[in-house]
């Protein structure tokens, strides 16, 4: 390690805390925890060079955990030049071992790993453990190799039974490392450890709030679009709604929203979109009532893929026709979120203006994209929505597929079936809400299969449709589990649906997780 360079002053470190990704899910969680401490953070790939890193003027750098051992050939590394930039560094788990290895310490393959809850003994409070934390505390460990010897100049600040160097620091160089995971909830004092790094080592003020996000985006949107006209397709979903409200705050009447009412939305949803955006937010809104066109197009279409395709194509045609009538529209608002940006591997290219074709829109419709949410996680988008005055019904709306109820009606989609399903579905969601489960359940809805069965009501034989209730818990829709709804709640839903929706005489509950099922039925 060379002599420390003079550290850049706080005034020169006005950028985000950069979380270096070593290839697992850890980086996202760390970035979220940093943001929860009101410090803005972004994820960068470990291939970032010290020069590129310094250009971002980061308040600090966090090296995340990763799935590999530092001893494995091809294990991801960061250019050790980052330690000489004078920018504060915190290594976590794999990141801690990398700090040790790259700065001349020893990482040993002891054959004894630590997994799960582990007792940590703080020997020296140093900077990260502050003055209020207990000397022994529980931390979450997940490692196979251990740092056995800290690099020269480092003070060992904590250990465990199996790990002599569970935390270490070099205060002058502002390089810190912890073997445990401060970002997980199983490390009860973890957030405090992170906050000590952010506030006391990085000197980053806790100034990143949803209010500051809105102010910054308003400026950026104005700068990007000037006095041009901007359009936005509203779907009723939270992302497009918040994006539209944010752009509207920035440029007011320059924004026109297009809401294609397919007739395949949930009960009352179309009216609610119009009410919220036109009446309350006073956003210029073109409300295209296209239900008849959709039913005509879907007549006789039975195959799920054909249905999706038909619905998608019609949307594009209607949107194109409507947008074509808006003169000089040069920009299109997209509700892209940060996880999409990370997944597509373009995190560092976030500032590049895209001039490309979006969401299947025809080649000759060229828009520059306005993506005001591309640095935000979903829960942050919800907070921004609330701050912008959007109602809970929109901000906390559950995910809803683009093709709408079209993929929840098995077989041909007809106005009559949509009406039955909308009413049954409204009851399911109402009961979930009354039971206080709305935010716990990822999605809860009704499905209308293409069968009928015999029943009896008031001495009369019935021959009606069944409704299937689908309720799942999930983190990200990639996997899902069927929700263990209380029997009395299911009973209430069932009774109400059968009594209130004429034509439905049976209710079933879907107990399939994903995989092997999917959340939607088509
Ligand atoms: P599946 O059914 O594949 O759904 O388990 C995963 C998540 O995606 C939603 N979904 C869609 N969302 N357009 C969308 O915008 C679609 O075509 C679509 N299909 C499914 C679904 O509701 C669930 O949240």
């Amino acid at each position: 390690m060379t002599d420390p360079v003079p550290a850049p002053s706080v005034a020169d470190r006005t950028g985000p805390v950069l979380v270096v990704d070593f290839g697992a899910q850890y980086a996202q969680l760390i970035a979220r925890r940093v943001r929860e401490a009101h410090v803005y953070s972004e994820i960068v790939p470990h291939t970032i060079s010290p020069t590129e890193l310094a250009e971002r003027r980061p308040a600090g750098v966090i090296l995340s955990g990763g799935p590999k051992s530092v001893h494995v050939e091809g294990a991801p590394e960061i250019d050790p030049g980052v330690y000489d930039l004078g920018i504060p560094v915190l290594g976590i788990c794999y990141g801690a071992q990398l700090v040790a290895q790259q700065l001349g310490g020893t990482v040993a393959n002891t054959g004894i790993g630590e997994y799960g809850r582990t007792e940590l003994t703080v020997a020296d409070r140093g900077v990260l453990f502050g003055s209020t934390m207990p000397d022994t505390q529980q931390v979450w460990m997940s490692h196979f190799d251990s740092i056995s010897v800290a690099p020269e100049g480092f003070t060992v600040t904590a250990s465990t039974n199996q790990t002599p160097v569970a935390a270490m620091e070099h205060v002058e160089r502002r390089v810190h490392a912890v073997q445990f995971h401060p970002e997980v909830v199983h490390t009860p004092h973890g957030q405090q450890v992170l906050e000590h790094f952010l506030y006391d080592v990085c000197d980053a003020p806790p100034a990143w709030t949803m209010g500051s996000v809105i102010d910054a985006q308003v400026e950026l949107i104005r700068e990007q679009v000037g006095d041009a006209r901007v359009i936005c397709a509203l779907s009723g979903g939270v992302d497009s709604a918040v994006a539209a409200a944010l752009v509207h705050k920035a440029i007011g009447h320059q924004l026109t929203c297009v809401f294609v009412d397919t007739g395949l939305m949930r009960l009352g949803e179309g009216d609610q979109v119009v009410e919220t955006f036109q009446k309350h937010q006073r956003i210029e809104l073109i409300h295209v009532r296209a239900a008849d066109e959709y039913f005509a197009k879907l007549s006789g279409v039975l195959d799920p893929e054909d249905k999706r395709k038909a619905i998608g194509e019609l949307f594009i045609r209607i949107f194109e026709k409507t947008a074509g009538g808006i003169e000089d529209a040069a920009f299109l608002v997209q509700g892209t979120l940060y996880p999409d940006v990370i997944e597509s591997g373009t995190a560092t290219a976030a500032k590049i203006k895209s001039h490309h074709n979006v969401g299947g829109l025809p080649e000759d419709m060229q828009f520059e994209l306005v993506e005001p949410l591309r640095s935000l996680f979903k829960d942050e988008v919800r907070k921004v929505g609330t701050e912008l005055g959007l109602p809970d019904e929109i901000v906390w709306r559950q995910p809803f597929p683009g093709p709408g109820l079209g993929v929840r009606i098995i077989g041909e989609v007809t106005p009559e079936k949509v009406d039955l399903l909308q009413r049954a579905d409204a009851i399911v969601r109402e009961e979930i809400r009354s039971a206080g489960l709305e935010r716990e359940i990822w999605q809860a809805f009704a499905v209308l299969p293409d069968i009928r069965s015999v029943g009896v009501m008031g001495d009369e034989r019935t021959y009606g449709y069944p409704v299937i209730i689908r309720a799942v818990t999930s983190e990200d829709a990639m996997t899902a589990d069927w929700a263990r709804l209380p029997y009395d709640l299911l009973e209430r839903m069932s009774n109400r649906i059968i009594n209130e929706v004429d034509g439905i005489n049976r209710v079933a509950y879907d107990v399939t997780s994903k995989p092997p099922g999917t959340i939607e039925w088509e």
Side-chain angles (χ1 to χ4, degrees), residues 308 399-403 408 442-443 477 514 517-522:
R308 276 177 179 273
F400 188 59
R408 293 180 181 171
W442 176 264
Q443 274 172 288
K514 173 186 179 176
T518 50
I519 296 176
E520 302 292 343
W521 268 51
E522 286 197 336

Side-chain angles (χ1 to χ4, degrees), residues 254-321:
Q254 278 167 254
L255 172 72
T256 305
C257 287
V258 177
F259 169 48
V260 179
D261 197 339
T262 60
L264 303 173
M265 299 184 76
R266 288 167 283 201
L267 191 69
E269 205 162 37
D271 293 341
Q272 200 202 4
V273 170
V274 174
E275 170 99 359
T276 303
F277 290 94
Q278 211 164 39
K279 294 217 178 109
H280 295 155
Q281 297 266 331
R282 300 197 173 281
I283 293 181
E284 214 166 286
L285 179 77
I286 301 179
H287 181 189
V288 189
R289 289 181 179 78
D292 291 346
E293 269 181 86
Y294 274 88
F295 288 124
K297 178 117 184 169
L298 289 171
S299 164
V301 184
L302 306 179
D303 179 76
E305 283 315 302
D306 291 347
K307 253 194 244 177
R308 276 177 179 273
K309 208 165 140 231
I311 295 170
E313 275 172 9
L314 187 55
F315 175 83
I316 289 162
R317 232 191 52 218
I318 294 172
F319 183 77
E320 188 184 23
K321 203 168 89 193

Side-chain angles (χ1 to χ4, degrees), residues 239-462:
D239 305 341
S240 66
V242 175
L246 194 47
V247 172
H248 182 254
K249 186 177 170 73
I251 57 166
H253 290 308
Q254 278 167 254
L255 172 72
T256 305
C257 287
V258 177
F259 169 48
V260 179
D261 197 339
T262 60
L264 303 173
M265 299 184 76
R266 288 167 283 201
L267 191 69
E269 205 162 37
D271 293 341
Q272 200 202 4
V273 170
V274 174
E275 170 99 359
T276 303
F277 290 94
Q278 211 164 39
K279 294 217 178 109
H280 295 155
Q281 297 266 331
R282 300 197 173 281
I283 293 181
E284 214 166 286
L285 179 77
I286 301 179
H287 181 189
V288 189
R289 289 181 179 78
D292 291 346
E293 269 181 86
Y294 274 88
F295 288 124
K297 178 117 184 169
L298 289 171
S299 164
V301 184
L302 306 179
D303 179 76
E305 283 315 302
D306 291 347
K307 253 194 244 177
R308 276 177 179 273
K309 208 165 140 231
I311 295 170
E313 275 172 9
L314 187 55
F315 175 83
I316 289 162
R317 232 191 52 218
I318 294 172
F319 183 77
E320 188 184 23
K321 203 168 89 193
T322 314
I326 304 168
E327 273 181 30
D328 307 331
F331 292 88
L332 179 71
V333 179
Q334 287 275 114
T336 316
L337 305 191
Y338 195 43
D340 308 330
V341 175
I342 301 169
E343 260 161 44
S344 62
T346 54
T348 49
K351 300 227 161 52
I352 298 170
K353 286 184 180 173
S354 7
H355 236 303
H356 63 121
N357 194 26
V358 193
L361 291 179
E363 286 293 333
D364 54 359
M365 275 195 98
Q366 296 283 322
F367 292 105
E368 185 172 324
L369 296 185
V370 181
E371 299 179 295
L373 310 179
R374 63 178 290 139
S375 65
L376 301 181
F377 291 106
K378 189 89 173 184
D379 52 333
E380 295 165 346
V381 168
R382 291 203 161 105
K383 286 184 194 148
V384 167
T386 301
E387 189 102 2
L388 288 168
L390 293 175
D392 275 2
E393 297 83 63
I394 291 219
V395 167
W396 286 97
R397 180 158 286 175
Q398 292 179 344
F400 188 59
L405 299 183
V407 291
R408 293 180 181 171
I409 292 171
I410 315 307
E412 188 179 25
V413 178
T414 64
E416 297 72 33
K417 286 184 180 172
V418 169
D419 175 61
L420 281 184
L421 183 58
Q422 276 182 336
R423 289 190 288 142
D425 178 72
I427 292 170
V428 170
R429 290 181 298 117
E430 229 173 85
E431 289 297 332
I432 290 278
R433 207 175 311 129
S434 313
L437 293 173
E438 203 182 18
R439 295 188 188 181
E440 222 171 279
I441 301 286
W442 176 264
Q443 274 172 288
F445 54 88
V447 174
L448 189 71
D450 196 20
I451 48 172
R452 284 193 283 170
S453 74
V454 174
V456 57
M457 265 179 108
D459 296 337
E460 296 245 344
R461 178 186 183 275
T462 60

Side-chain angles (χ1 to χ4, degrees), residues 10 13 15-19 29-42 58-63 87-90 92 127-129 174 176 182-183 190-208:
V10 178
R13 291 188 287 105
V17 165
L18 295 178
V19 181
L29 191 54
I30 297 168
R32 296 167 63 90
R33 294 285 178 255
V34 172
R35 290 173 178 210
E36 278 166 25
H38 302 295
V39 176
Y40 182 56
S41 69
E42 280 185 20
V61 171
I62 299 181
L63 308 180
I87 295 167
V89 173
L90 171 65
I92 294 177
V127 183
L128 295 192
F129 296 104
R174 299 200 270 185
H176 297 251
E183 74 276 19
Q191 187 68 11
Q192 273 173 278
V193 169
L194 283 176
E195 287 176 6
H196 281 302
F197 176 69
L198 299 170
Y199 305 152
D200 303 335
V201 185
C202 302
D203 295 314
W208 189 76

